[in-house]
Amino acid sequence: MTQVNLYIAIFMCHIISSICILMIRNFMPCYKLDGLCPVVHPTAFVHPTAVLIGDVHIGASCYVGPNASLRADFGRIIMKEGANIQDCCVVHGFPRSDTLIEKNGHVGHGAVLHGCIVGEDSLIGMNAVILDNAVIPAYSLVGAGAIVKAGFEAEKASLIVGSPAKVIRKLSDKEIKWKQLGTHEYQILSQRCLNSLEQCNPLTEAENDRRHMGDFIKNDALVPKIETDNLSK
């Protein structure tokens, strides 16, 4: 391939990638309310089945998963750079409230956020509920299924579990690093989806040389928490 042909091929790849991104954004269920239209950064990914309503702000490199509902019809919803909201999450708030997910905030499948703040680099476990005016501090972890009462506060790097949720100990630096690895992978996933996600018809059988999706994950250190329980020791 000549250098000119290489430049042409690279240019065409950029054009195709841009078209794919525009197609994904055109299919996104996004609703203006009272003149306020959701705002989505060009490097963020919002799945076409997620719903954005009203005063929603989604920052750079964010990820919003399938069937998530971000309904800013009473107050404002803000996702800062690198945050993710995963499948089937619900985000809402009382009138004049702000629901804020700070930089690199990580919200697991099925969680509910209502008029609260998720601090920088914190993780909300699957199916947890964070109620109004609760503040999850930076570098903290809320356990799966926890219910965090309205007005809750804690110190940085807390492990918060239970119903009603309470702080049981501080997180170690290694546990915080484990969380950060997962969040970084979602930031990569956002770009993977922008570049290659497309609707398709299912195959009737798998290809003989089919790759495993894990082949596309570059970080071998990312493992389930059950395998990292001794990180703090």
Side-chain angles (χ1 to χ4, degrees), residues 31-38 53-55 72-76:
Y31 300 93
K32 180 188 296 186
L33 180 65
D34 296 328
L36 290 176
C37 182
I53 299 174
D55 196 10
D73 48 11
F74 286 169
R76 177 172 290 172

Side-chain angles (χ1 to χ4, degrees), residues 68-86:
S69 173
L70 283 68
R71 184 161 65 89
D73 48 11
F74 286 169
R76 177 172 290 172
I77 295 171
I78 304 167
M79 290 181 69
K80 292 196 175 179
E81 179 182 357
N84 70 76
I85 292 178
Q86 298 170 23

Side-chain angles (χ1 to χ4, degrees), residues 63-113:
Y63 173 90
V64 179
N67 297 309
S69 173
L70 283 68
R71 184 161 65 89
D73 48 11
F74 286 169
R76 177 172 290 172
I77 295 171
I78 304 167
M79 290 181 69
K80 292 196 175 179
E81 179 182 357
N84 70 76
I85 292 178
Q86 298 170 23
D87 325 49
C88 301
C89 289
V90 175
V91 185
H92 194 241
F94 273 101
R96 292 172 292 280
S97 68
D98 284 357
T99 303
L100 173 62
I101 302 93
E102 293 277 15
K103 183 178 179 180
N104 297 330
H106 189 116
V107 184
H109 317 290
V112 177
L113 308 180

